[in-house]
Amino acid sequence: MSIPSKVKIIDVGPRDGLQNEKEPVPAAVKVELVHRLQDAGLKEIEVTSFVSPKWVPQMADNAEVMAGIQRKPGVRYSVLTPNMKGFEAAVLSKPDEIVVFGAASEAFSQKNINCSIEESIERFRPVAAAAKAAGIAVRGAISCAVGCPYEGEIAPERVALVARLMKDIGVEHVGVADTIGVGTPLKVQRAMDATLQYYNVDEISGHFHDTYGMALANTLACLEMGIWHYDTSSAGLGGCPYAKGATGNVATEDVVYLLHGMGIETGIDLDKLIDAGKFISDFLQRKPHSRAANALLTKRLG
Ligand code: HMG
Ligand code: MG
């Protein structure tokens, strides 16, 4: 398999990035971040999630954020929906894609969505069917695909099992997620190989949190397998509320710098992307969690 010449980035910053912020981020700021990302050339943006506001208070303004976005043609706006209640609320906001999120670890499934892996699939089944009937694309996420904060290392067979279950219920595309960023290239490749038993190379994304600084290496390892979709987060924002200590997704800026440096097309304007990351980082009163963004921001100062 040769390295792809084009890569599609799904910026999950507004959702995965912001969901764990303790202080409320106003809907208008989230909307502005989405606008800046689409202006930077992002074609897929994970905007918010329709989950319990008691569990994830930061996403309670989901409908308001979706309503505030001035949609740009050609951009796909996705939202997380863990069950029919979430889907029914989400559908009013007209997402282009919904995301069901399961896990390869039983313990993480319980902590994150309060049910077993098997129960989660039964919750996702009607969601996937209803989405398809409404002409909405269906993506899935497989959390803890290499390691779990509660169970430790996760065998590739467990990933294959969830991939099979997701395929069975009509999930069209899956993100293989290293939720806590413990993966290293060969382990991540094994999780991808497991998923490739049920999904083809065009239907899989890499979703790497960067807790141990391995996310770029893992991205490169997946590029070598021909994987060309990646979930990344503007300014490296984020972390999962049910994965203590895990940091954000790999920064979109870092991945774009890597890809452009390798001559791989993304359609993204790195300067505008850096401005988007700077905007949200300024709001949060911190520096972007992106080596490339900070280097290029310093360089701008001359
Ligand atoms: P539950 O308690 O099992 O659900 O929660 P329930 O059906 O028994 O309902 C309990 C209460 O929640 C009821 O309200 C429901 O109405 C309400 P009450 O009567 O107590 O007032 N409820 C909802 N409210 C709004 N939206 C909904 C919804 N469903 C039920 N959709 C549930 C199950 C999944 C809802 C809950 O566990 C939850 O919200 N969990 C949060 C999960 C989450 O957002 N995690 C972070 C995102 S996943 C992630 O970050 C990983 C990813 O990035 C990939 C990776 O890196 O691994 C995707
Ligand atoms: Mg994540």
Side-chain angles (χ1 to χ4, degrees):
M1 183 60 75
S2 61
I3 288 190
S5 57
K6 249 198 257 176
V7 155
K8 189 167 259 186
I9 303 274
I10 306 171
D11 198 295
V12 298
R15 194 283 301 172
D16 204 346
L18 293 179
Q19 68 182 8
N20 206 30
E21 287 298 327
K22 296 286 167 289
E23 295 302 318
V25 177
V29 173
K30 295 171 181 167
V31 168
E32 172 76 18
L33 174 60
V34 170
H35 287 165
R36 285 174 179 261
L37 291 172
Q38 65 193 21
D39 288 347
L42 267 302
K43 290 281 182 277
E44 300 212 24
I45 304 175
E46 201 169 275
V47 178
T48 185
S49 48
F50 287 81
V51 298
S52 164
K54 287 184 192 148
W55 285 61
V56 187
Q58 188 64 255
M59 297 287 111
D61 58 2
N62 40 34
E64 191 184 348
V65 174
M66 285 297 280
I69 297 168
Q70 284 181 8
R71 297 193 191 194
K72 195 169 169 179
V75 177
R76 180 183 272 204
Y77 303 89
S78 55
V79 302
L80 267 57
T81 56
N83 53 19
M84 276 309 285
K85 188 177 169 82
F87 178 77
E88 278 157 14
V91 80
L92 303 174
S93 295
K94 298 192 168 33
D96 301 301
E97 181 178 61
I98 56 97
V99 185
V100 292
F101 48 106
S105 141
E106 214 41 86
F108 187 80
S109 181
Q110 288 291 351
K111 297 270 186 198
N112 194 39
I113 49 175
N114 205 24
C115 62
S116 67
I117 294 171
E118 211 178 299
E119 284 163 342
S120 75
I121 295 295
E122 291 319 310
R123 290 180 184 186
F124 301 155
R125 188 188 299 277
V127 174
K132 281 198 174 168
I136 299 170
V138 182
R139 180 152 56 87
I142 306 177
S143 288
C144 298
V146 279
C148 167
Y150 313 105
E151 292 183 11
E153 201 148 321
I154 297 291
E157 293 72 29
R158 311 271 298 281
V159 180
L161 171 68
V162 182
R164 177 169 67 74
L165 295 173
M166 289 217 175
K167 189 77 187 186
D168 283 349
I169 61 166
V171 171
E172 297 152 348
H173 183 112
V174 283
V176 175
D178 183 9
T179 313
I180 53 171
V182 290
T184 41
L186 296 182
K187 288 182 188 172
V188 167
Q189 284 183 334
R190 286 197 278 268
M192 287 293 173
D193 271 331
T195 310
L196 280 162
Q197 291 174 39
Y198 299 99
Y199 285 91
N200 72 45
V201 75
D202 303 325
E203 299 168 330
I204 301 177
S205 333
H207 178 115
F208 305 128
H209 286 258
D210 201 27
T211 319
Y212 288 80
M214 294 293 112
L216 283 177
N218 294 337
T219 302
L220 183 56
C222 292
L223 286 168
E224 285 170 354
M225 298 175 76
I227 306 280
W228 60 283
H229 290 85
Y230 295 92
D231 302 350
T232 64
S233 179
S234 173
L237 297 169
C240 176
Y242 304 102
K244 223 177 171 35
T247 64
N249 299 81
V250 63
T252 310
E253 296 91 320
D254 290 344
V255 173
V256 168
Y257 182 84
L258 169 76
L259 296 171
H260 289 184
M262 292 174 72
I264 298 171
E265 248 180 75
T266 64
I268 293 170
D269 178 326
L270 181 57
D271 275 322
K272 286 188 173 175
L273 178 68
I274 286 171
D275 291 338
K278 176 89 167 62
F279 160 77
I280 190 66
S281 302
D282 284 349
F283 175 82
L284 297 168
Q285 297 184 297
R286 63 173 83 118
K287 279 174 76 170
H289 283 295
S290 160
R291 302 284 281 267
N294 287 319
L296 290 165
L297 283 166
T298 305
K299 201 170 163 198
R300 273 187 198 175
L301 297 174

